Amino acid sequence: MKEKKEKITGGDYLSLGIYAFAGLGMEVLYAYWLEPVIYNAPMQDWSDIQIIVHWILTCITWGTFAFILIQRSGKKYHFALLEKGKAINLWQMGLCALFILLAFIVDYISWGGFKVYLEYVNKGFLLFAFQYLYYAFETMLFLLIIVFGQKACEVWFRREKIPYGGIVCGLTWGLAHIFTKNLLTGCLGIALGFAMGSVYLLVNRDFKKAYVVLFFMFVL
């Protein structure tokens, strides 16, 4: 007798997205619980070396979460994320560029200037380099939330043209920022999450292309 194949549900994919969000949340444990005890100082009083150690620890944690989730997605659910996707058209490239431009304008207004330059000037080369490494890993987990949120809702609702992943990402990211920062930052997080989810659909669900576009949206 053949073994019955286990049905893959939307909840299976959503659970992977929740794990990705939990991976992001590990930084909160490090920054507000573990490291302040070790350094005997709150985060705002850490030295440059302590900040760099924090970012390295966070990147290792996020990288581990991302690796495990990508592997599990492919092996258990046959949802391979790193396969080459379909080519995108010129209009899709143009819309991706527009999303990057809009993200840049929002950051320019909120920072009062070019964010990358201001961070470089304020932090110096060493801190700047490690912070952007940190951003690279952070983008990866945000993209995983989008991908798994999108897949879960497509299984549930059978519609593929709605950026569900962006809605999931925006709500989780936005609500987290409302509680940890302020309402405006949270609302911007919701809007940016929805935009990043739209980009994922624009690049035909190509994980690698989406990562590049999202990284520029996130850091610029």
Side-chain angles (χ1 to χ4, degrees):
M1 182 182 290
K2 287 186 178 180
E3 185 179 349
K4 189 176 180 180
K5 198 171 183 180
E6 186 178 352
K7 184 179 179 181
I8 301 172
T9 68
D12 293 321
Y13 293 115
L14 184 62
S15 68
L16 295 180
I18 292 172
Y19 283 130
F21 182 66
L24 284 172
M26 289 296 295
E27 185 192 15
V28 176
L29 297 179
Y30 296 153
Y32 295 99
W33 293 86
L34 177 62
E35 290 170 293
V37 172
I38 295 173
Y39 302 144
N40 194 30
M43 191 176 187
Q44 60 267 25
D45 295 333
W46 291 352
S47 68
D48 288 356
I49 295 299
Q50 289 168 337
I51 293 172
I52 289 172
V53 169
H54 166 76
W55 283 335
I56 292 173
L57 175 62
T58 301
C59 288
I60 291 172
T61 302
W62 287 348
T64 302
F65 267 83
F67 177 80
I68 292 172
L69 291 173
I70 291 171
Q71 289 294 310
R72 185 175 181 81
S73 173
K75 290 183 178 179
K76 186 170 183 178
Y77 302 123
H78 311 292
F79 182 39
L81 302 184
L82 302 182
E83 290 182 349
K84 186 176 181 181
K86 295 187 296 183
I88 61 176
N89 297 319
L90 189 61
W91 69 268
Q92 292 169 298
M93 294 181 189
L95 284 177
C96 287
L98 179 60
F99 274 114
I100 293 174
L101 177 61
L102 290 173
F104 170 79
I105 292 171
V106 170
D107 274 344
Y108 191 92
I109 293 171
S110 62
W111 280 73
F114 182 30
K115 175 185 172 184
V116 176
Y117 172 74
L118 292 175
E119 287 194 310
Y120 179 81
V121 170
N122 292 331
K123 296 182 181 302
F125 175 76
L126 191 61
L127 279 176
F128 175 84
F130 276 99
Q131 181 162 34
Y132 275 72
L133 177 65
Y134 164 95
Y135 287 154
F137 281 90
E138 189 174 19
T139 303
M140 179 70 70
L141 283 185
F142 278 122
L143 178 54
L144 287 173
I145 293 172
I146 290 169
V147 169
F148 294 132
Q150 183 71 33
K151 188 68 174 178
C153 291
E154 287 178 358
V155 171
W156 285 328
F157 305 126
R158 306 294 180 182
R159 293 180 180 274
E160 298 184 347
K161 295 183 179 180
I162 299 173
Y164 300 111
I167 297 170
V168 173
C169 180
L171 289 176
T172 53
W173 188 18
L175 290 175
H177 278 75
I178 287 174
F179 287 115
T180 59
K181 293 186 178 179
N182 55 60
L183 180 61
L184 177 59
T185 304
C187 290
L188 287 175
I190 292 172
L192 183 57
F194 184 81
M196 292 194 299
S198 300
V199 165
Y200 177 61
L201 298 187
L202 270 176
V203 298
N204 299 325
R205 297 172 174 78
D206 187 310
F207 189 88
K208 295 175 183 177
K209 291 187 181 76
Y211 176 80
V212 173
V213 178
L214 264 57
F215 178 75
F216 281 111
M217 288 178 64
F218 193 73
V219 302
L220 293 180

